[in-house]
Amino acid sequence: MYTSSVSRRAGAAGSVLDLGLTLGVLARGPGDPSFRMTADGTVWRACRTPQGPGTLRVAPAGDGRVGAQAWGPGADWLMDALPALLGEEDDATGFVPRHRVVHEAHRRHPGLRLTRTGLVLESLIPSVLEQKVTSDEAYRAWRLLLQRHGEPAPGPFPGLRVMPDARGWALIPSWEWHRAGVDGKRAATIVRAARVARRLEEATALPPADAAARLQLVPGIGPWTAAETVQRSHGAPDAVTVGDLHLPNSVGYALTGARTTDDAGMLELLAPYEGHRHRATRLILLGGPRRPRRGPRFSPNDIRLI
């Protein structure tokens, strides 16, 4: 089993990197079989790279440095992609906080960077699973599918799983989707995406907007899913998520105190951050006041009982 390791400075001398904030967006729930963060801040990540399965370990090493190790056929690819994963390609030029909430969050979280994985399918599939269901339902489906149809990740960390390859996703039978709580519409979307996986992965070489447009050529993938994907695969600073049930209200409440805001209102509020609207929303969610909840929570509809 191939192993690669390196110690490198994460960004310019004296810069700060918050591994948890930067890479935490790649975890799909606290029980994600492909992602673990230990108490000392070490991140373990199992991936299916173009060179095959691989496991990456990234840990703070002091003095602004990180230590990284990788295992498996995808080890070299993971090491080559490490700078982008750590946000070294994230360019915040032109970003100016225009609201007190954004300014304070930016000041308090200097180590936040936008990660770029360079992998489309691993972000696209869980984003499809999250369509129109609760987070808990989507996380459970991702966990069950990886446990039943993924494979053990290379390396020493027990329990890590690598997601199936494109053919593996396409061959999952209908009853297995049902067992994981995934309805036919979402399952069909994932199968369609898996069948054109090569073309979708090629989108990593495109600008984020063009990549999102290519993703949306697949029936069942709309602006919400495309934005959630390119935010991770491309580190897209302007890929603001529209069509979300909660985000417009969260942004509106944090910036104006309004209890309800629609997509159009959110985009108007974010207009001063053109080019960095995703970055602004990350900071708003980190530092903004939480909108008080009123009324019942969204009730899950467990299709496994049908």
Side-chain angles (χ1 to χ4, degrees):
M1 190 70 69
Y2 184 77
T3 302
S4 181
S5 62
V6 68
S7 174
R8 63 177 292 119
R9 181 169 295 281
S15 64
V16 178
L17 171 67
D18 189 319
L19 276 177
L21 285 182
T22 299
L23 301 185
V25 295
L26 302 179
R28 302 296 181 149
D32 185 345
S34 67
F35 187 99
R36 290 289 189 273
M37 182 178 296
T38 60
D40 64 357
T42 298
V43 171
W44 292 81
R45 171 169 148 75
C47 305
R48 185 166 295 280
T49 78
Q51 296 177 1
T55 298
L56 178 69
R57 174 187 181 272
V58 187
D63 191 31
R65 303 184 70 86
V66 296
Q69 294 172 287
W71 294 263
D76 280 342
W77 190 95
L78 288 169
M79 284 302 187
D80 289 342
L82 182 62
L85 187 76
L86 298 179
E88 292 187 22
E89 296 180 3
D90 180 22
D91 184 2
T93 302
F95 176 70
V96 179
R98 306 287 185 179
H99 299 83
R100 182 179 297 276
V101 166
V102 179
H103 173 80
E104 284 300 306
H106 191 237
R107 181 181 65 82
R108 292 175 181 172
H109 302 285
L112 171 65
R113 300 181 191 167
L114 301 184
T115 184
R116 175 179 178 139
T117 67
L119 298 168
V120 170
L121 215 61
E122 73 161 23
S123 291
L124 175 63
I125 289 174
S127 295
V128 173
L129 293 175
E130 292 171 7
Q131 292 176 350
K132 301 185 185 305
V133 297
T134 66
S135 295
D136 286 346
E137 290 175 280
Y139 297 158
R140 180 185 63 211
W142 175 248
R143 183 174 65 252
L144 292 175
L145 289 167
L146 262 62
Q147 288 171 346
R148 293 186 64 84
H149 301 282
E151 62 182 275
F157 197 97
L160 276 181
R161 305 284 290 180
V162 178
M163 76 173 196
D165 60 14
R167 185 173 183 272
W169 285 113
L171 292 178
I172 294 176
S174 60
W175 58 88
E176 288 289 310
W177 292 109
H178 189 275
R179 181 179 294 179
V182 181
D183 61 83
K185 182 177 180 181
R186 286 179 293 151
T189 298
I190 292 172
V191 170
R192 284 191 292 265
R195 288 173 176 165
V196 293
R198 182 180 62 83
R199 291 287 291 157
L200 297 184
E201 294 294 354
E202 289 173 355
T204 57
L206 300 176
D210 295 340
R214 178 176 292 191
L215 294 180
Q216 290 178 74
L217 294 175
V218 178
I221 298 176
W224 185 93
T225 306
E228 290 288 310
T229 301
V230 299
Q231 286 166 8
R232 297 166 173 83
S233 62
H234 288 67
D238 198 47
V240 60
T241 303
V242 295
D244 192 84
L245 181 63
H246 302 294
L247 184 62
N249 289 330
S250 297
V251 171
Y253 185 79
L255 298 186
T256 70
R259 289 196 52 80
T260 58
T261 304
D262 58 13
D263 277 335
M266 176 181 70
L267 293 176
E268 184 177 352
L269 290 171
L270 294 175
Y273 301 102
E274 187 77 30
H276 294 278
R277 292 176 295 176
H278 171 53
R279 189 188 312 280
T281 57
R282 284 290 310 276
L283 291 168
I284 289 167
L285 294 177
L286 280 173
R290 300 293 181 183
R291 174 174 171 264
R293 286 186 177 273
R294 291 184 181 174
R297 291 176 179 267
F298 182 74
S299 179
N301 181 23
D302 192 345
I303 71 163
R304 297 176 301 171
L305 303 177
I306 299 175

